[in-house]
Amino acid sequence: MTKRTVEADPYPWPYNGDLRPENTVFLVIDMQTDFCGPGGYVDKMGYDLSLTRAPIGPIQRVFAAARPLGYHIFHTREGHRPDLSDLPENKRWRSQRIGAGIGDPGPCGRILTRGEPGWDIIPELAPLPDEPVIDKPGKGSFYATDLDMLLRRRGIQNIVLAGITTDVCVHTTMREANDRGYECLLLEDCTGATDYGNYLAALKMIKMQGGVFGAVATSEAFVESIT
C-alpha cells in the first residue's frame, strides 16, 4: 500500500497513511440557509453571518478537487418534522427565549423545519444528485440517522469534516465518529462558529492528548495531499 497523509496537527493524518477516495468521505455539516443565509435562524438570533459564511469558499475548493477524484461527499441538514413531533420541548423553549423559535414563521419559512426554504442547503454548496444528504433532528450527525450504516456499507474509514458550527454540530459529529472508530480530520478553514472564541477553543480541544478526537488541517493541505 502506498502511504498518503495530510500535513495536520497534532499528527500526519490519517494515522495509518491509508488515504484513498474509496475509504474517505468529505462530510459537510449543516450549510443551510437557516445557519448561514440572510433571514435564517442564525441571522434572526442576531449573530454575525460572515462567521458562518466564511467556510463557503474553502468548501467549494475542496469540492473542486475531491469530486473528480471520486472521493465520497456527504451533506447533513438539521431540522424537524413539520408537526414538530421530533422536537424536544426544552430545545424549542430555548430557541424561543432568543427570539428564533424552532417551527415559528421566519423570513425563510418556518425555522429549522424540514421542507422549508431556510432548512435547505445553500445554493453555493448544493449537493450533486448522487451525494447523500443526511437529515438529522439533533446536533450530532449519527443520532437518529442512517449515517453510520451508509458509511459502513461504502467501506469508509476516514471522515474529513467541514461545516457549521465548529463548536456544536461539527464537534458533536466528530466526537460521535471518533467513538465509532472512524479516523477524523477537521479542516479548520472549512468550518466556522457564531463566536470566534468558541471556534478556537473547539479546534484546541481536538488536538489535546495527542489528538483525542483526531487531527486538524487546512483545506489547502488536504487538497495538496489528494492531488
Side-chain angles (χ1 to χ4, degrees), residues 12 58 62 66 71 84 119 190 194:
V62 174
Y71 280 83
L84 305 183
W119 158 84
C190 288
T194 52

Side-chain angles (χ1 to χ4, degrees), residues 172-190:
T172 303
T173 298
M174 190 172 194
R175 290 166 181 246
E176 289 179 325
N178 178 68
D179 279 345
R180 286 167 172 79
Y182 294 102
E183 173 69 346
C184 297
L185 176 71
L186 186 143
L187 299 183
E188 61 184 40
D189 54 334
C190 288

